[in-house]
Amino acid sequence: MLLANRLLFTSIFLSPSSSSPSLKPQPLTLTFANPTHAKPTRHVSSASKTIPIMEKDRSVLFVPPGVDPDEVTPDMVLPGSNIVIGPYAGDAKIKEVVFVKSSSRAKDCPKHDRPEFAILGRSNVGKSSLINALVKKKDVALTSKKPGKTKLINHFLVNKSWYFVDLPGYGFAKAPEAARMDWSAFTKGFFLNRDNLVAVLLLVDASVPPQRIDLDCANWLGRNNIPMTFVFTKCDKMKGGKGKRPDENLRDFKQFIAENYKQHPPWIMTSSVTGLGRDELLLHMSQLRNYWDQ
Ligand code: GDP
């Protein structure tokens, strides 16, 4: 593995400036194209080069390797995200997924010979649904829902070339506080010892207000230099229900990011019901993976 590549990503993500994030909601001014309708554009047209991005907006973008931040134009930003698409994006399609193994310890996991993405979030965040949506199969994530496998690290091999790693959900509602963060004791070894870990996809339920346990998890990953992408789930629930709407919850969470990270980690809106963000997330993963894998 090119360790330098991992470090480059990490240095972009890290810098939580405080261990006790404020949840005070304040509006962020950045808005992108309507994610429900827009499609990602990979090529910069000459016309778009004339459209400027405001400096304050530019500062919240995730700019990948190979892209000059000053050269970013709006059509390089994936809809419903802060992610700029650069020259390493491509080959994003999932053609084949094979369950490899379940491991109870990091040292039992498959060899560090391929890039991998870990997927993590509170139970009920929509992890299984998202995995199934990404791979376009109904039963892939069932493996990790089988009794006895929910507390294991489950490796899937995609296209014979990279791993998708399903980690145990955290934050069971009724568990006592100590047990709720127990995932870190279990998965700590995984995060700290997998130098082929390209990024953690940290799933955050956009249909509820930001949860302390998600913020704690994000800060733990940040403090430990683990690259992460915030994946907001259930973004189809944009209307109705009690409490705040997902766009307001998202705004609050982005405020947390703004207050706690000097450079913004990537974030993206998804829905397993409508397919929102699916192709975009895979494209984002492809550029991280291809850069890592070069
Ligand atoms: P997990 O425990 O994190 O694996 O969560 P699941 O994938 O089992 O989903 C938990 C619940 O949320 C289920 O009732 C799903 O139908 C629902 N859900 C998951 N993803 C979405 C989504 O994108 N939109 C909506 N509206 N509901 C979802």
Side-chain angles (χ1 to χ4, degrees):
M1 177 212 171
L2 295 173
L3 188 61
N5 292 356
R6 165 84 179 267
L7 290 175
L8 195 152
F9 282 129
T10 305
S11 67
I12 291 169
F13 298 133
L14 179 66
S15 292
S17 56
S18 130
S19 56
S20 54
S22 154
L23 287 180
K24 158 175 75 11
Q26 281 173 22
L28 278 187
T29 46
L30 181 67
T31 49
F32 293 115
N34 181 345
T36 317
H37 305 297
K39 286 256 180 286
T41 314
R42 281 184 234 174
H43 305 291
V44 185
S45 71
S46 53
S48 68
K49 282 191 171 145
T50 59
I51 304 170
I53 293 184
M54 303 291 285
E55 209 47 52
K56 64 178 170 38
D57 287 352
R58 204 179 285 281
S59 70
V60 306
L61 294 175
F62 168 75
V63 181
V67 177
D68 178 345
D70 294 331
E71 298 284 308
V72 174
T73 52
D75 65 350
M76 292 166 73
V77 182
L78 286 177
S81 85
N82 70 336
I83 299 168
V84 173
I85 285 298
Y88 291 97
D91 202 15
K93 211 168 167 186
I94 292 187
K95 296 173 207 132
E96 182 195 60
V97 184
V98 179
F99 172 69
V100 180
K101 70 179 293 198
S102 297
S103 317
S104 58
R105 294 172 301 184
K107 62 180 184 177
D108 297 331
C109 290
K111 277 196 293 186
H112 303 212
D113 56 351
R114 294 182 167 96
E116 67 188 15
F117 291 88
I119 183 161
L120 177 69
R122 271 184 307 118
S123 48
N124 221 37
V125 71
K127 184 155 63 88
S128 311
S129 307
L130 184 74
I131 293 174
N132 290 337
L134 287 176
V135 305
K136 286 204 168 154
K137 281 191 184 168
K138 283 211 178 344
D139 54 351
V140 168
L142 284 181
T143 310
S144 53
K145 288 224 158 180
K146 281 183 192 157
K149 300 220 168 180
T150 52
K151 293 244 176 234
L152 297 172
I153 301 165
N154 297 299
H155 271 80
F156 298 89
L157 182 61
V158 183
N159 298 350
K160 296 189 174 66
S161 64
W162 56 276
Y163 289 121
F164 203 72
V165 190
D166 186 9
L167 295 176
Y170 57 83
F172 289 92
K174 292 196 177 117
E177 198 62 31
R180 280 156 56 112
M181 284 308 279
D182 205 32
W183 66 270
S184 67
F186 175 70
T187 49
K188 216 179 203 166
F190 175 84
F191 288 127
L192 300 179
N193 294 304
R194 298 292 286 182
D195 60 5
N196 55 333
L197 182 62
V198 178
V200 172
L201 306 181
L202 179 57
L203 270 50
V204 175
D205 187 341
S207 69
V208 296
Q211 306 286 300
R212 168 65 54 185
I213 195 157
D214 294 331
L215 306 180
D216 287 348
C217 181
N219 275 346
W220 188 90
L221 292 170
R223 278 199 306 277
N224 287 283
N225 287 5
I226 315 290
M228 74 183 109
T229 294
F230 291 106
V231 178
F232 296 110
T233 61
K234 309 188 188 180
C235 291
D236 54 288
K237 292 181 161 181
M238 290 312 257
K239 287 198 192 101
K242 288 185 187 161
K244 290 187 174 180
R245 299 195 328 243
D247 52 350
E248 295 170 312
N249 296 328
L250 249 142
R251 188 196 58 201
D252 293 351
F253 204 92
K254 283 188 270 176
Q255 183 62 31
F256 156 76
I257 295 174
E259 288 176 3
N260 288 276
Y261 291 82
K262 280 191 193 128
Q263 287 178 296
H264 285 228
W267 58 260
I268 184 164
M269 296 165 68
T270 68
S271 162
S272 304
V273 171
T274 65
L276 173 74
R278 177 193 180 272
D279 295 344
E280 290 80 355
L281 178 56
L282 288 174
L283 197 57
H284 167 59
M285 290 165 72
S286 80
Q287 68 175 352
L288 298 185
R289 194 176 65 240
N290 292 335
Y291 176 72
W292 186 96
D293 216 12
Q294 69 182 323

